[in-house]
Amino acid sequence: MIQFPPGTYRHATDRWGSFKRQCATLPEGALAVVDRTVARLHPQVIKSLEARKPRAIIQLTGGESAKSFKALEQVLVAGLSMPRSGTLIAIGGGTIGDVSTVAAHLLKRGVRLVQVPTTLLAAVDSSLGGKGAVDITVRGRVVKNPVGVFHYAEEAWLCPEFFASLSDTQLREGSLEAWKMVASLDEELFLSYSRRAPALERMVKDARRLKESVCAQDPYELQGLRRVLNFGHTFGHVLESVSRFQLSHGDAVGLGMLCALDVGRAMGITPDEVAWQVEDALHQGPGVLGRERTADLLARAKLKDVSALLSADKKAGSAGELRMILITDVGKAVVRDVSEDVWRALWPAWTQGVRP
Ligand SMILES: NC(=O)c1ccc[n+]([C@@H]2O[C@H](COP(=O)([O-])OP(=O)(O)OC[C@H]3O[C@@H](n4cnc5c(N)ncnc54)[C@H](O)[C@@H]3O)[C@@H](O)[C@H]2O)c1
Ligand SMILES: [Zn+2]
C-alpha cells in the first residue's frame, strides 16, 4: 500500500472534547506551539501538555507578529531533534496555526500536524484546508502570506472551553467567516441561520463541513475551485490594508461582502432582492459593521492606491483583471472578472457610507 507522507491531503479527523481529555492521546515527545494568551487564560493547557513529556513548549504572542521568520525560526530550532515521525501541535488562533503549519512542513521535510483552534475564526476556517503562511516586511510594510505551504493537519481538536474566553468582537469575526460560507455555498443553511442564530458548535461543524467539501475537490488550489471561499475577500483585503490592519480580518470580510453584493448588483449578476436579503441577514446575524465604517476607511485612501492594492491582489487573473466571487442567488457563487469602471462607479456611494 502506498504511504502518504504527513501533511499531504487527507480528510482531517475532527475530535470534539475538552483539551485535557484529548491531550491524553498526544504522543510523547511532541513539539507544542501555544498562544501565550491561551496559556494564561487556560492554565490546564500547559499542565496537560507537560504530562505528555513534550520535546518543547514554545509560547508565541498571538497576532500577525507570530507569522514572522523570527517566530518560525524559534519553532524550527525547538524541533531540530525531532524525528520525522514526530508530532507538532498548534494551539491558538489562525496566526499560531499558520506559522505552525509552515514549521510542520519544513521540519524533517514534513511532520505530523495537529491543529487546536482556539478562536472561532480558526475553528471555522484557518485550521482547515492545509494552508499555512508567514508574512514578510518590505520597507516597513507588512506583506501578508507571500511565503506559504500546503500541509494538511491529521487531526483537529475542537475544545469548546476555548471559545468561552473569546470577546464578542472575536466571536463576531469568526461568525462572519462562517456566514461567508453559508451565504455563498448553502441556501438551506442560510435560511435556517436567518430564522434562528445557530449555536456556536453547530456553526463550527457546518462551516467545517462546507470548507472541507470545497477543499476536497481542489486540495492544492490547482483548479481555482477553492476561490469560492474568497467571497468578500477582494475588497475585504483592501479595507484591512487601508486600515493598516487595525480592522480585523473577519470584520473586513464582513464589509467586503457588502462590496461584493454591490458589485454583483451593478453587473446584473446579483438580483436586488438577494442582495438586500443577504445584507439584512449579515446585520441581524453576525452583526456586520455598518457601511459608515467602510466610508471612514476609504476616506483615508486614494483611488489610485486602492487600484494598486487590487491589482496586487492574489485573486487577480493572469491578465491583471479583477476576479471576484459574486453571488447569483443565496448559496450560489460564481467567479467573474470585474472591470475597474464597475467598482469606480460605486466609489461615491462607498465613500458616503450609503447603499449604491
Ligand atoms: N490558513 C488559512 O487558510 C487561513 C484562513 C483564514 C485566516 N487565516 C489567517 O488567520 C489569522 C487570523 O486568525 P485569528 O483571527 O484567529 O487571529 P489570531 O491568531 O491573531 O488570534 C486573535 C487574538 O485572539 C487571541 N486568542 C486566541 N485564542 C483565544 C482564546 N481562546 N481566548 C481569548 N483570546 C484568544 C490571540 O492571542 C490573539 O490576540 C490571519 O493571519 C489570517 O491570515 C488563515
Ligand atoms: Zn478569510
Side-chain angles (χ1 to χ4, degrees), residues 123 196 246 248 287 299 306:
R196 192 152 163 244
Q246 295 306 301
S248 78
V306 171

Side-chain angles (χ1 to χ4, degrees), residues 121 125 177 180 229-231 233 237 240 249-250 253:
L121 188 136
D125 196 346
E177 287 275 17
K180 161 204 81 176
L229 296 168
N230 287 325
F231 179 50
H233 280 60
H237 283 157
E240 227 180 330
H249 178 75
V253 169

Side-chain angles (χ1 to χ4, degrees), residues 86-99:
T87 297
L88 191 157
I89 180 168
I91 304 151
T95 57
I96 302 299
D98 274 11
V99 69

Side-chain angles (χ1 to χ4, degrees), residues 7-274:
T8 43
Y9 175 70
R10 69 183 66 227
H11 180 87
T13 308
D14 282 1
R15 291 171 32 184
W16 285 82
S18 74
F19 183 80
K20 187 176 175 201
R21 188 160 64 77
Q22 312 237 41
C23 201
T25 67
L26 185 71
E28 290 191 354
L31 171 61
V33 184
V34 187
D35 182 308
R36 208 183 297 284
T37 303
V38 174
R40 180 172 50 79
L41 294 173
H42 302 270
Q44 86 282 7
V45 167
I46 302 294
K47 269 193 220 143
S48 306
L49 286 169
E50 278 171 346
R52 303 302 303 158
K53 302 191 177 58
R55 181 166 311 273
I57 301 175
I58 303 292
Q59 292 196 29
L60 296 177
T61 302
E64 261 334 283
S65 66
K67 289 171 64 168
S68 65
F69 279 95
K70 193 164 159 244
L72 174 64
E73 190 176 14
Q74 199 185 340
V75 179
L76 295 176
V77 168
L80 271 186
S81 61
M82 214 168 161
R84 200 173 184 209
S85 58
T87 297
L88 191 157
I89 180 168
I91 304 151
T95 57
I96 302 299
D98 274 11
V99 69
S100 301
T101 299
V102 179
H105 190 71
L106 295 176
L107 279 168
K108 309 296 145 105
R109 298 195 170 80
V111 297
R112 190 172 166 264
L113 174 66
V114 175
Q115 289 261 21
V116 188
T118 63
T119 61
L120 185 58
L121 188 136
V124 300
D125 196 346
S126 64
S127 65
L128 187 80
K131 285 187 183 178
V134 290
D135 303 335
I136 293 188
T137 306
V138 187
R139 281 179 239 108
R141 261 196 62 211
V142 177
V143 183
K144 265 192 76 159
N145 301 333
V147 178
V149 301
F150 278 102
H151 190 88
Y152 278 85
E154 214 166 282
E155 289 179 9
W157 299 355
L158 296 141
C159 316
E161 72 265 30
F162 292 132
F163 307 139
S165 58
L166 295 170
S167 65
D168 288 347
T169 304
Q170 287 169 314
L171 290 170
R172 179 181 67 226
E173 293 160 10
S175 304
L176 282 161
E177 287 275 17
W179 274 79
K180 161 204 81 176
M181 292 184 223
V182 170
S184 59
L185 296 170
D186 194 319
E187 183 186 12
E188 209 176 299
L189 271 184
F190 176 88
L191 295 176
S192 138
Y193 282 21
S194 304
R195 277 193 298 270
R196 192 152 163 244
L200 212 61
E201 283 195 33
R202 184 70 267 151
M203 187 161 65
V204 173
K205 284 180 181 156
D206 290 338
R208 290 181 74 82
R209 182 175 47 75
L210 286 174
K211 182 164 180 183
E212 169 66 35
S213 69
V214 174
C215 293
Q217 298 172 57
D218 188 13
Y220 297 100
E221 207 161 274
L222 298 172
Q223 297 149 47
L225 290 173
R226 284 175 71 143
R227 282 208 196 102
V228 292
L229 296 168
N230 287 325
F231 179 50
H233 280 60
T234 304
F235 284 95
H237 283 157
V238 167
L239 294 168
E240 227 180 330
S241 212
V242 301
S243 80
R244 298 190 177 274
F245 297 96
Q246 295 306 301
L247 182 69
S248 78
H249 178 75
D251 278 334
V253 169
L255 295 174
M257 286 192 271
L258 304 187
C259 295
L261 293 173
D262 296 344
V263 169
R265 278 177 49 232
M267 291 175 70
I269 290 169
T270 311
D272 285 353
E273 60 282 9
V274 170

